[in-house]
C-alpha cells in the first residue's frame, strides 16, 4: 500500500463499493460481501457471467498529465465497452492501482479519480467489490476487471453470416483525431492538421470520456443480433477480427463510415485522413455488429429509443480462397489498397 | 501488445484456457466462451461467486531475476489463497501482464511462466478465460483476478466469537526467513543469520511456491467454520484484521506458532527471530481460522485427510475497552511488548 493513503482508500471504497462493503453483508446489486475481506462474495441470481479485464499504462494508454477524473471514467468505460459488445448487464468490478511513490501523495488525485469513475459507475449501475493498491517504481498502471450477467446468451465475434449488414453505432474517428491534436498541443511529433477550438473540444471529449454502448448492446442482443464487437483498436482491425473469427469476407464503403460534424470538417474529404481516423484510428468504443437485413427495422427502432445513431457501412460476404484481402474497402466505387492495420495493445 | 509475441500468446491461451477458448463454445469447467472475444462467458451453475484481485510488481513483490516459472506459480497462488480463505471452489481467472520492452522478447520467459502457472492451475482446476497483455516502460507488473464459486456461504473475517480457538494451517515464517536469505544472497542490506544449504532450500521453496490451502478451506467451511483469513501480510497483522472486524480481542502464545523443522533450527529459540519471521513476516499463504472448541475433533479429522497439520495458537476474547492492545502475545507466560506490524501492500 502507498503510505498514508489508508483513510482515502477507505473513502474510495465507501464511495464506489455500492453499499455491500464492510462487515454488513446484504447490500444492493447482488453484493453479499464487498471490499474488506479476502474476496468479494456475489450473487449472479442464477444468470451466466460475462467478464473482461483491461490494463492501462501511463505514457502508453493515457498521457501522464491526464486529469484523474477523466482517467477514472475511461478506465471503467473501456471495460464496460467489452460488456456492451457481449450484450451483458454490468454488475461489479475490481480495480488494481499501481501508483508511483510521490511526495505529494494521492489524496487529491484519488478524489478526482473517484469522481470520474463514479459518474460512469452510477449510470451503469456497477459496484466496486475488490482490487488491490500497490506502489510501483514505474508508470501509473491500472487494471480493471468487470463482471456482468447475461440472461439469454451473448453476442460474439464468430457469429456473422454471409449477407449480414455491417453496422456501427455512433461515429468513428473522433478519438483518434483528438489524439493527434493532443500530440500537437504537447509539441510531440505527430500528424499536423487545422481544427477550430470548438471542434477540438468536441473531439477531445470523445477521446477522454467514451460512452460504452450498454443499452444498445443489450437491446440488440434481445432483438436477435448474434455478432458484435467493440471498436477499440480501429474499425478496420476490429472488423477484421469478426471476419476472421466468422470465416468470411467483408465489403465496406469508406464514404459510409459515420462521422461527427466536427470530424467531417477536419477531414474535409481528404482520403488520407479518412483512412487515418475513422477507418484505422482506435479508441472509438462504438459497437460493430452484423445482422441480417430482416432485422433492420428493429435495429432502427432500438437506435431511436437509445438516441444513438447507427449506420450500415457494408456487408459480410462468403469466404473466397482467391481473395487477397479479407476486407475490401471501397471509396467512390474504387477498391482501395488497404492501409496498415495499426491497433492498440489488446491481446485477449 | 508486445511486438512479435502473438504466436506465443496464442500458445499461452491454448495451454491455460481450459478448453473453452476460440470460437468453439462449450468446453469444460463452465467456460461457455473463453479467450478470444470481447469478454469471457461463464456458467456459475446457479452458485454464488467469489472473486479477488492481486497485483505483483517486479522489484517490490518479487525479485527482477525471478525464475518465470516460480512467478507463474506464485501469481496464481496468492490469488487462490484468497479463495481458500473464503472456502470457495476456484473456477476461472484473468491475467494481465505489463511487460517491459526488451530486445530478447518474451518467448522463453512466457514458456516458463506458463509451465509454472499451469502446474498449479491444473491441480486447482482453474481455467484462464481472459486478460490483457500490454507493454510498459516500468517494471514487469502482473494483475490476476480469480473467480470461484460457493455453494453454501463463505468464511469471513468478521465472524469470530469470544471463546473461539485461533488456528493456523501448516507452518509460519518460512517465506519471511527465505526472503532474508534472498537479500543476503544478493548482497542487499537485511537481516543476517546462519542457515545450512538444505535449510535454505526448504525455506526458499516455501517462499517461491506457496501452496494455497484450498481443500482445507472448503472442508473447514463445510464443517461449520465461519471465520477465516489467509495469512499473507504476517500472522499478527492478519489476526489483527480478524480481531478488528469481529470486534474482539485475542490472546496468542508465541511458542505455539507452528514452525517447520528448518525454521526451528534457524530460529534457535531467539525471540527476535520468532517475532521477525513467524509472528510478523509475510507471504505465508496459510489460513488463520477461528472455531469454537466443539469443532476441534472435526478439524483434526479434516487436517488429517488433507495431510495438512493445524495448530491452535490462541483464543478469541471479548472486547475490553481498557485494553491497550487488541492482540496480546505471550512468550513463556510473559506478556510481550508488541513489535511493529509491518505488512505487505494489500489494501482491499
Amino acid at each position: 500500500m502507498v503510505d498514508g493513503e489508508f483513510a482515502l482508500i477507505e473513502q474510495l471504497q465507501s464511495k464506489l463499493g455500492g453499499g455491500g462493503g464492510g462487515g454488513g453483508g446484504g447490500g444492493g446489486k447482488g453484493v453479499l460481501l464487498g471490499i474488506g475481506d479476502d474476496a468479494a462474495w456475489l450473487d449472479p441470481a442464477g444468470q451466466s457471467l460475462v467478464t473482461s479485464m483491461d490494463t492501462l499504462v501511463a505514457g502508453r494508454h493515457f498521457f501522464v498529465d491526464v486529469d484523474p477524473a477523466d482517467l477514472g471514467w475511461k478506465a471503467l468505460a473501456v471495460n464496460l465497452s467489452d460488456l456492451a459488445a457481449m450484450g451483458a448487464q454490468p454488475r461489479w468490478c475490481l480495480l488494481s492501482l499501481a501508483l508511483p511513490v510521490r511526495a505529494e501523495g494521492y489524496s487529491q488525485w484519488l478524489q478526482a479519480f473517484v469522481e470520474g469513475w463514479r459518474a460512469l459507475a452510477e449510470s451503469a449501475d456497477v459496484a466496486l467489490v475488490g482490487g488491490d493498491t500497490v506502489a510501483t517504481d514505474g508508470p501509473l498502471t491500472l487494471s480493471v476487471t468487470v463482471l456482468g450477467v447475461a440472461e439469454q446468451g451473448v453476442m460474439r465475434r464468430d457469429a456473422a453470416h454471409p449477407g449480414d449488414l455491417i453496422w456501427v453505432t455512433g461515429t468513428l474517428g473522433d478519438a483518434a483525431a483528438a489524439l493527434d491534436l493532443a500530440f500537437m498541443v504537447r509539441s510531440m511529433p505527430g500528424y499536423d492538421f487545422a481544427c477550430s477550438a470548438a471542434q477540438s473540444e468536441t473531439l477531445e471529449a470523445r477521446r477522454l470520456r467514451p460512452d460504452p454502448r450498454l443499452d444498445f448492446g443489450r437491446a440488440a442482443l434481445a432483438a436477435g443480433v448474434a455478432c458484435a464487437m467493440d471498436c477499440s483498436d480501429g474499425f478496420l482491425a476490429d472488423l477484421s477480427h469478426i471476419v476472421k473469427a466468422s470465416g468470411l469476407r467483408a465489403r465496406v464503403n469508406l464514404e459510409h463510415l459515420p462521422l461527427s460534424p466536427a470530424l467531417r470538417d477536419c477531414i474535409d474529404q481528404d482520403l488520407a485522413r479518412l483512412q487515418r481516423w475513422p477507418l484505422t484510428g482506435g479508441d472509438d468504443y462504438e459497437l460493430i455488429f452484423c445482422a441480417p437485413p430482416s432485422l433492420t427495422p428493429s435495429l432502427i427502432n432500438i437506435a431511436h429509443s437509445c438516441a444513438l445513431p447507427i449506420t450500415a457501412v457494408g456487408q459480410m460476404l462468403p469466404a473466397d480462397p482467391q481473395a487477397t484481402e479479407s476486407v475490401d474497402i471501397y471509396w467512390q466505387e474504387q477498391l482501395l489498397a488497404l492501409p496498415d492495420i495499426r491497433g492498440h495493445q489488446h491481446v485477449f
Side-chain angles (χ1 to χ4, degrees), chain A:
Chain A
M1 179 44 205
V2 184
D3 289 341
E5 300 293 343
F6 276 103
L8 196 79
I9 292 285
E10 280 178 12
Q11 271 187 50
L12 186 152
Q13 296 169 7
S14 71
K15 284 180 178 167
L16 301 179
K29 300 175 184 165
V31 181
L32 301 170
L33 186 64
I35 293 168
D37 216 299
D38 290 279
W41 182 30
L42 308 168
D43 180 12
Q47 298 175 95
S48 62
L49 198 70
V50 180
T51 183
S52 177
M53 183 184 205
D54 270 313
T55 294
L56 303 178
V57 180
R60 291 193 172 257
H61 302 95
F62 56 91
F63 290 106
V64 173
D65 62 2
V66 66
D67 179 336
D70 290 331
L71 181 62
W73 175 289
K74 190 161 179 177
L76 181 57
V78 303
N79 279 273
L80 291 178
S81 183
D82 286 321
L83 293 194
M86 307 296 282
Q89 167 79 48
R91 299 299 293 275
W92 314 291
C93 54
L94 301 98
L95 165 66
S96 163
L97 283 171
L99 300 173
V101 176
R102 60 179 197 178
E104 69 270 36
Y106 282 90
S107 292
Q108 283 192 294
W109 189 95
L110 269 171
Q111 276 181 325
F113 181 87
V114 162
E115 180 196 308
W117 176 288
R118 190 165 57 170
L120 180 57
E122 286 184 352
S123 73
D125 201 20
V126 61
L128 185 70
V129 298
D132 202 0
T133 308
V134 299
T136 180
D137 304 301
L140 196 152
T141 302
L142 305 92
S143 286
V144 175
T145 299
V146 71
L147 295 160
V149 292
E151 271 183 73
Q152 50 178 357
V154 295
M155 297 185 288
R156 40 200 293 172
R157 297 182 185 182
D158 61 2
H161 290 96
D164 279 356
L165 295 177
I166 303 165
W167 297 85
V168 293
T169 60
T171 61
L172 298 175
D174 297 324
L179 184 61
D180 279 332
L181 287 170
F183 282 126
M184 286 163 58
V185 165
R186 288 164 178 79
S187 304
M188 295 165 76
Y191 183 90
D192 209 350
F193 67 103
C195 180
S196 74
Q199 286 164 344
S200 168
E201 196 175 326
T202 302
L203 299 175
E204 186 72 347
R206 291 267 297 162
R207 181 175 79 83
L208 296 175
R209 300 228 174 183
D211 193 1
R213 303 310 190 184
L214 290 160
D215 291 344
F216 185 86
R218 284 198 301 278
L221 173 64
V225 174
C227 176
M229 180 171 173
D230 88 320
C231 184
S232 57
D233 291 350
F235 171 79
L236 181 55
D238 289 325
L239 178 60
S240 298
H241 289 309
I242 292 177
V243 164
K244 186 179 171 193
S246 298
L248 301 175
R249 280 192 310 134
R251 176 190 165 124
V252 168
N253 296 309
L254 186 53
E255 59 265 44
H256 290 175
L257 294 188
L259 306 179
S260 67
L263 190 65
R264 185 175 298 280
D265 286 348
C266 295
I267 287 178
D268 195 22
Q269 298 191 301
D270 179 316
L271 181 58
R273 293 175 182 181
L274 263 175
Q275 295 188 33
R276 181 176 180 87
W277 297 326
L279 184 62
T280 64
D283 255 5
D284 292 307
Y285 302 104
E286 297 292 352
L287 300 185
I288 307 173
F289 59 100
C290 303
S294 61
L295 283 183
T296 299
S298 303
L299 290 168
I300 289 173
N301 279 340
I302 293 168
H304 185 74
S305 69
C306 292
L308 177 68
I310 60 172
T311 309
V313 299
Q315 195 157 31
M316 301 303 297
L317 306 171
D320 175 0
Q322 310 299 321
T324 53
E325 299 289 353
S326 60
V327 180
D328 288 339
I329 307 289
Y330 282 80
W331 165 244
Q332 296 173 341
E333 306 296 321
Q334 300 281 319
L335 180 63
L336 284 184
L338 272 183
D340 279 355
I341 299 176
R342 291 176 188 276
H344 282 218
Q345 313 287 332
H346 310 289
V347 171
F348 296 124

mmCIF file of all heavy atoms in Angstrom, chain A residues 321-347:
data_model
loop_
_atom_site.group_PDB
_atom_site.id
_atom_site.type_symbol
_atom_site.label_atom_id
_atom_site.label_comp_id
_atom_site.label_asym_id
_atom_site.label_seq_id
_atom_site.Cartn_x
_atom_site.Cartn_y
_atom_site.Cartn_z
ATOM 1 N N PRO A 321 -11.386 -18.196 -51.330
ATOM 2 C CA PRO A 321 -9.974 -18.581 -51.209
ATOM 3 C C PRO A 321 -9.080 -17.797 -52.171
ATOM 4 O O PRO A 321 -7.877 -17.680 -51.936
ATOM 5 C CB PRO A 321 -9.971 -20.065 -51.578
ATOM 6 C CG PRO A 321 -11.393 -20.521 -51.513
ATOM 7 C CD PRO A 321 -12.242 -19.326 -51.735
ATOM 8 N N GLN A 322 -9.655 -17.224 -53.232
ATOM 9 C CA GLN A 322 -8.854 -16.459 -54.209
ATOM 10 C C GLN A 322 -8.566 -15.038 -53.728
ATOM 11 O O GLN A 322 -7.675 -14.380 -54.261
ATOM 12 C CB GLN A 322 -9.608 -16.365 -55.560
ATOM 13 C CG GLN A 322 -10.122 -17.689 -56.098
ATOM 14 C CD GLN A 322 -8.990 -18.678 -56.360
ATOM 15 O OE1 GLN A 322 -7.935 -18.303 -56.832
ATOM 16 N NE2 GLN A 322 -9.201 -19.945 -55.999
ATOM 17 N N ALA A 323 -9.343 -14.558 -52.760
ATOM 18 C CA ALA A 323 -9.226 -13.150 -52.371
ATOM 19 C C ALA A 323 -7.923 -12.912 -51.621
ATOM 20 O O ALA A 323 -7.500 -13.733 -50.810
ATOM 21 C CB ALA A 323 -10.413 -12.752 -51.492
ATOM 22 N N THR A 324 -7.275 -11.770 -51.908
ATOM 23 C CA THR A 324 -6.019 -11.456 -51.216
ATOM 24 C C THR A 324 -6.283 -10.750 -49.889
ATOM 25 O O THR A 324 -5.463 -10.810 -48.982
ATOM 26 C CB THR A 324 -5.136 -10.543 -52.089
ATOM 27 O OG1 THR A 324 -5.918 -9.413 -52.483
ATOM 28 C CG2 THR A 324 -4.659 -11.282 -53.334
ATOM 29 N N GLU A 325 -7.423 -10.081 -49.799
ATOM 30 C CA GLU A 325 -7.749 -9.379 -48.561
ATOM 31 C C GLU A 325 -9.068 -9.904 -48.028
ATOM 32 O O GLU A 325 -9.956 -10.257 -48.804
ATOM 33 C CB GLU A 325 -7.893 -7.861 -48.815
ATOM 34 C CG GLU A 325 -6.637 -7.198 -49.342
ATOM 35 C CD GLU A 325 -5.535 -7.081 -48.295
ATOM 36 O OE1 GLU A 325 -5.794 -7.392 -47.117
ATOM 37 O OE2 GLU A 325 -4.422 -6.677 -48.666
ATOM 38 N N SER A 326 -9.218 -9.922 -46.715
ATOM 39 C CA SER A 326 -10.481 -10.390 -46.145
ATOM 40 C C SER A 326 -11.484 -9.249 -46.010
ATOM 41 O O SER A 326 -12.679 -9.482 -45.871
ATOM 42 C CB SER A 326 -10.239 -11.053 -44.786
ATOM 43 O OG SER A 326 -9.660 -10.122 -43.899
ATOM 44 N N VAL A 327 -10.998 -8.005 -46.043
ATOM 45 C CA VAL A 327 -11.900 -6.851 -46.025
ATOM 46 C C VAL A 327 -11.571 -5.962 -47.230
ATOM 47 O O VAL A 327 -10.442 -5.484 -47.355
ATOM 48 C CB VAL A 327 -11.767 -6.026 -44.726
ATOM 49 C CG1 VAL A 327 -12.735 -4.842 -44.755
ATOM 50 C CG2 VAL A 327 -12.030 -6.891 -43.497
ATOM 51 N N ASP A 328 -12.533 -5.793 -48.108
ATOM 52 C CA ASP A 328 -12.365 -4.877 -49.251
ATOM 53 C C ASP A 328 -12.979 -3.529 -48.893
ATOM 54 O O ASP A 328 -14.150 -3.462 -48.495
ATOM 55 C CB ASP A 328 -13.064 -5.432 -50.495
ATOM 56 C CG ASP A 328 -12.317 -6.628 -51.079
ATOM 57 O OD1 ASP A 328 -11.109 -6.761 -50.794
ATOM 58 O OD2 ASP A 328 -12.948 -7.413 -51.805
ATOM 59 N N ILE A 329 -12.180 -2.484 -49.022
ATOM 60 C CA ILE A 329 -12.643 -1.127 -48.716
ATOM 61 C C ILE A 329 -12.847 -0.381 -50.041
ATOM 62 O O ILE A 329 -11.902 -0.277 -50.840
ATOM 63 C CB ILE A 329 -11.595 -0.358 -47.874
ATOM 64 C CG1 ILE A 329 -11.200 -1.154 -46.623
ATOM 65 C CG2 ILE A 329 -12.115 1.032 -47.521
ATOM 66 C CD1 ILE A 329 -12.252 -1.229 -45.577
ATOM 67 N N TYR A 330 -14.034 0.106 -50.262
ATOM 68 C CA TYR A 330 -14.339 0.858 -51.483
ATOM 69 C C TYR A 330 -14.484 2.336 -51.162
ATOM 70 O O TYR A 330 -15.031 2.705 -50.130
ATOM 71 C CB TYR A 330 -15.630 0.351 -52.140
ATOM 72 C CG TYR A 330 -15.415 -0.927 -52.916
ATOM 73 C CD1 TYR A 330 -15.353 -2.158 -52.264
ATOM 74 C CD2 TYR A 330 -15.240 -0.897 -54.299
ATOM 75 C CE1 TYR A 330 -15.132 -3.323 -52.961
ATOM 76 C CE2 TYR A 330 -15.019 -2.067 -55.013
ATOM 77 C CZ TYR A 330 -14.973 -3.281 -54.339
ATOM 78 O OH TYR A 330 -14.745 -4.424 -55.052
ATOM 79 N N TRP A 331 -13.955 3.146 -52.054
ATOM 80 C CA TRP A 331 -14.064 4.612 -51.925
ATOM 81 C C TRP A 331 -14.449 5.154 -53.295
ATOM 82 O O TRP A 331 -13.714 4.962 -54.255
ATOM 83 C CB TRP A 331 -12.725 5.184 -51.461
ATOM 84 C CG TRP A 331 -12.520 6.674 -51.592
ATOM 85 C CD1 TRP A 331 -11.605 7.308 -52.374
ATOM 86 C CD2 TRP A 331 -13.231 7.703 -50.912
ATOM 87 N NE1 TRP A 331 -11.680 8.651 -52.223
ATOM 88 C CE2 TRP A 331 -12.683 8.939 -51.333
ATOM 89 C CE3 TRP A 331 -14.280 7.725 -49.992
ATOM 90 C CZ2 TRP A 331 -13.146 10.162 -50.863
ATOM 91 C CZ3 TRP A 331 -14.741 8.942 -49.527
ATOM 92 C CH2 TRP A 331 -14.177 10.140 -49.950
ATOM 93 N N GLN A 332 -15.659 5.714 -53.373
ATOM 94 C CA GLN A 332 -16.184 6.216 -54.647
ATOM 95 C C GLN A 332 -16.092 5.138 -55.727
ATOM 96 O O GLN A 332 -15.531 5.359 -56.790
ATOM 97 C CB GLN A 332 -15.452 7.500 -55.041
ATOM 98 C CG GLN A 332 -15.711 8.618 -54.027
ATOM 99 C CD GLN A 332 -14.873 9.862 -54.272
ATOM 100 O OE1 GLN A 332 -13.858 9.815 -54.964
ATOM 101 N NE2 GLN A 332 -15.308 10.976 -53.695
ATOM 102 N N GLU A 333 -16.602 3.954 -55.391
ATOM 103 C CA GLU A 333 -16.693 2.800 -56.303
ATOM 104 C C GLU A 333 -15.334 2.195 -56.658
ATOM 105 O O GLU A 333 -15.261 1.263 -57.463
ATOM 106 C CB GLU A 333 -17.442 3.173 -57.614
ATOM 107 C CG GLU A 333 -18.817 3.782 -57.385
ATOM 108 C CD GLU A 333 -19.775 2.803 -56.714
ATOM 109 O OE1 GLU A 333 -19.755 1.602 -57.050
ATOM 110 O OE2 GLU A 333 -20.531 3.240 -55.810
ATOM 111 N N GLN A 334 -14.247 2.709 -56.085
ATOM 112 C CA GLN A 334 -12.916 2.157 -56.364
ATOM 113 C C GLN A 334 -12.457 1.308 -55.181
ATOM 114 O O GLN A 334 -12.622 1.705 -54.015
ATOM 115 C CB GLN A 334 -11.891 3.293 -56.533
ATOM 116 C CG GLN A 334 -12.193 4.260 -57.653
ATOM 117 C CD GLN A 334 -11.793 3.708 -59.003
ATOM 118 O OE1 GLN A 334 -10.736 3.093 -59.134
ATOM 119 N NE2 GLN A 334 -12.637 3.893 -60.005
ATOM 120 N N LEU A 335 -11.862 0.155 -55.465
ATOM 121 C CA LEU A 335 -11.269 -0.666 -54.408
ATOM 122 C C LEU A 335 -9.955 -0.015 -53.962
ATOM 123 O O LEU A 335 -9.082 0.276 -54.784
ATOM 124 C CB LEU A 335 -10.996 -2.080 -54.945
ATOM 125 C CG LEU A 335 -10.369 -3.063 -53.954
ATOM 126 C CD1 LEU A 335 -11.287 -3.325 -52.775
ATOM 127 C CD2 LEU A 335 -10.014 -4.370 -54.664
ATOM 128 N N LEU A 336 -9.834 0.220 -52.671
ATOM 129 C CA LEU A 336 -8.626 0.854 -52.134
ATOM 130 C C LEU A 336 -7.573 -0.193 -51.784
ATOM 131 O O LEU A 336 -7.905 -1.294 -51.348
ATOM 132 C CB LEU A 336 -8.955 1.622 -50.853
ATOM 133 C CG LEU A 336 -9.676 2.952 -50.965
ATOM 134 C CD1 LEU A 336 -9.808 3.555 -49.566
ATOM 135 C CD2 LEU A 336 -8.891 3.912 -51.863
ATOM 136 N N ALA A 337 -6.317 0.186 -51.935
ATOM 137 C CA ALA A 337 -5.245 -0.616 -51.328
ATOM 138 C C ALA A 337 -5.360 -0.418 -49.815
ATOM 139 O O ALA A 337 -5.527 0.710 -49.342
ATOM 140 C CB ALA A 337 -3.891 -0.143 -51.834
ATOM 141 N N LEU A 338 -5.288 -1.499 -49.059
ATOM 142 C CA LEU A 338 -5.509 -1.402 -47.606
ATOM 143 C C LEU A 338 -4.343 -0.733 -46.902
ATOM 144 O O LEU A 338 -3.189 -1.037 -47.187
ATOM 145 C CB LEU A 338 -5.676 -2.795 -47.009
ATOM 146 C CG LEU A 338 -7.095 -3.357 -46.994
ATOM 147 C CD1 LEU A 338 -7.086 -4.706 -46.310
ATOM 148 C CD2 LEU A 338 -8.026 -2.409 -46.252
ATOM 149 N N PRO A 339 -4.632 0.164 -46.000
ATOM 150 C CA PRO A 339 -3.560 0.714 -45.168
ATOM 151 C C PRO A 339 -3.119 -0.331 -44.145
ATOM 152 O O PRO A 339 -3.797 -1.324 -43.931
ATOM 153 C CB PRO A 339 -4.225 1.893 -44.469
ATOM 154 C CG PRO A 339 -5.673 1.530 -44.422
ATOM 155 C CD PRO A 339 -5.957 0.677 -45.631
ATOM 156 N N ASP A 340 -1.971 -0.104 -43.548
ATOM 157 C CA ASP A 340 -1.560 -0.932 -42.412
ATOM 158 C C ASP A 340 -2.644 -0.901 -41.341
ATOM 159 O O ASP A 340 -3.251 0.138 -41.090
ATOM 160 C CB ASP A 340 -0.281 -0.367 -41.763
ATOM 161 C CG ASP A 340 0.943 -0.780 -42.541
ATOM 162 O OD1 ASP A 340 0.803 -1.565 -43.494
ATOM 163 O OD2 ASP A 340 2.033 -0.303 -42.183
ATOM 164 N N ILE A 341 -2.863 -2.040 -40.735
ATOM 165 C CA ILE A 341 -3.784 -2.056 -39.603
ATOM 166 C C ILE A 341 -2.955 -1.869 -38.345
ATOM 167 O O ILE A 341 -2.204 -2.742 -37.940
ATOM 168 C CB ILE A 341 -4.548 -3.384 -39.548
ATOM 169 C CG1 ILE A 341 -5.358 -3.561 -40.821
ATOM 170 C CG2 ILE A 341 -5.440 -3.427 -38.326
ATOM 171 C CD1 ILE A 341 -6.082 -4.887 -40.899
ATOM 172 N N ARG A 342 -3.064 -0.706 -37.784
ATOM 173 C CA ARG A 342 -2.324 -0.444 -36.547
ATOM 174 C C ARG A 342 -3.319 -0.336 -35.412
ATOM 175 O O ARG A 342 -4.170 0.529 -35.415
ATOM 176 C CB ARG A 342 -1.539 0.861 -36.646
ATOM 177 C CG ARG A 342 -0.390 0.765 -37.618
ATOM 178 C CD ARG A 342 0.289 2.106 -37.762
ATOM 179 N NE ARG A 342 1.256 2.032 -38.839
ATOM 180 C CZ ARG A 342 2.490 1.561 -38.685
ATOM 181 N NH1 ARG A 342 2.883 1.142 -37.516
ATOM 182 N NH2 ARG A 342 3.300 1.495 -39.711
ATOM 183 N N GLY A 343 -3.171 -1.208 -34.476
ATOM 184 C CA GLY A 343 -4.127 -1.210 -33.380
ATOM 185 C C GLY A 343 -3.477 -0.834 -32.071
ATOM 186 O O GLY A 343 -2.332 -0.414 -32.036
ATOM 187 N N HIS A 344 -4.238 -1.003 -31.001
ATOM 188 C CA HIS A 344 -3.750 -0.744 -29.659
ATOM 189 C C HIS A 344 -3.060 -1.976 -29.115
ATOM 190 O O HIS A 344 -2.551 -2.780 -29.876
ATOM 191 C CB HIS A 344 -4.919 -0.302 -28.772
ATOM 192 C CG HIS A 344 -5.281 1.119 -29.029
ATOM 193 N ND1 HIS A 344 -5.666 1.981 -28.057
ATOM 194 C CD2 HIS A 344 -5.279 1.837 -30.182
ATOM 195 C CE1 HIS A 344 -5.906 3.166 -28.588
ATOM 196 N NE2 HIS A 344 -5.679 3.097 -29.874
ATOM 197 N N GLN A 345 -3.080 -2.121 -27.835
ATOM 198 C CA GLN A 345 -2.224 -3.111 -27.182
ATOM 199 C C GLN A 345 -2.990 -4.362 -26.735
ATOM 200 O O GLN A 345 -2.426 -5.209 -26.068
ATOM 201 C CB GLN A 345 -1.579 -2.472 -25.946
ATOM 202 C CG GLN A 345 -0.983 -1.104 -26.203
ATOM 203 C CD GLN A 345 0.293 -1.149 -27.003
ATOM 204 O OE1 GLN A 345 1.006 -2.123 -26.961
ATOM 205 N NE2 GLN A 345 0.563 -0.104 -27.750
ATOM 206 N N HIS A 346 -4.248 -4.464 -27.100
ATOM 207 C CA HIS A 346 -5.036 -5.582 -26.584
ATOM 208 C C HIS A 346 -4.594 -6.900 -27.203
ATOM 209 O O HIS A 346 -4.195 -6.947 -28.345
ATOM 210 C CB HIS A 346 -6.517 -5.374 -26.884
ATOM 211 C CG HIS A 346 -7.003 -4.022 -26.472
ATOM 212 N ND1 HIS A 346 -7.142 -3.672 -25.157
ATOM 213 C CD2 HIS A 346 -7.329 -2.943 -27.203
ATOM 214 C CE1 HIS A 346 -7.572 -2.420 -25.099
ATOM 215 N NE2 HIS A 346 -7.687 -1.955 -26.328
ATOM 216 N N VAL A 347 -4.712 -7.944 -26.458
ATOM 217 C CA VAL A 347 -4.445 -9.271 -26.996
ATOM 218 C C VAL A 347 -5.634 -10.194 -26.828
ATOM 219 O O VAL A 347 -6.093 -10.824 -27.765
ATOM 220 C CB VAL A 347 -3.238 -9.910 -26.305
ATOM 221 C CG1 VAL A 347 -3.128 -11.363 -26.724
ATOM 222 C CG2 VAL A 347 -1.992 -9.176 -26.726
#
